[in-house]
Amino acid sequence: MVENDPWPTELKVDKDRGLLTVAFEDGSSFALPAELLRVMSPSAEVQGHSPEERVTVPGKKSVRILRIEPVGNYAARIVCSDGHDTGLYTWAYLRELGEHKEERFQAYLTELAAKRLSR
């Protein structure tokens, strides 16, 4: 871990399991929808091994977070209701998703529309 890496103080899944709130030691906090976490999973299954291999993941509007498992001191594995569990979400990646949530989600919606896919 690099000294400037963000450090989470709380990971909390809401009651309906559709939202993960991540709070950081600097006081920032982000509410991340399960759908966004699933379709932006850092796994090779979604991201591929290069930008050209990245996959647009449709049909995840109703996905839920089943559980969160710690991975060392640097990440969490998020297990989703559709069985996806291969993404390791580093603290820095969770923060990046939080800081750019709206842009990332809008880009995802645009990509779905362009490919005639649905949420």
Side-chain angles (χ1 to χ4, degrees):
M1 187 169 97
V2 178
E3 193 171 314
N4 293 337
D5 282 351
W7 189 255
T9 56
E10 181 179 45
L11 297 172
K12 182 179 178 182
V13 180
D14 74 337
K15 190 172 86 172
D16 79 350
R17 317 221 41 92
L19 197 66
L20 171 65
T21 300
V22 183
F24 290 92
E25 64 185 353
D26 67 358
S28 61
S29 180
F30 305 100
L32 301 169
E35 179 184 12
L36 178 69
L37 290 165
R38 173 60 181 90
V39 303
M40 296 291 163
S41 170
S43 68
E45 176 187 333
V46 174
Q47 298 300 323
H49 297 286
S50 69
E52 297 78 29
E53 292 180 2
R54 196 174 76 67
V55 175
T56 303
V57 182
K60 301 302 175 185
K61 185 176 183 177
S62 299
V63 77
R64 294 292 176 250
I65 299 166
L66 294 182
R67 67 184 178 276
I68 299 174
E69 302 169 350
V71 178
N73 289 324
Y74 68 95
R77 178 186 326 275
I78 298 176
V79 180
C80 296
S81 59
D82 66 350
H84 183 73
D85 66 355
T86 58
L88 297 182
Y89 296 78
T90 64
W91 309 141
Y93 187 64
L94 287 170
R95 183 174 188 109
E96 191 274 326
L97 280 178
E99 289 174 345
H100 302 284
K101 176 174 62 175
E102 288 79 15
E103 305 99 278
R104 299 288 295 267
F105 196 70
Q106 188 54 57
Y108 169 67
L109 294 176
T110 300
E111 213 173 274
L112 284 176
K115 294 180 179 184
R116 297 179 183 245
L117 300 170
S118 64
R119 289 176 58 202

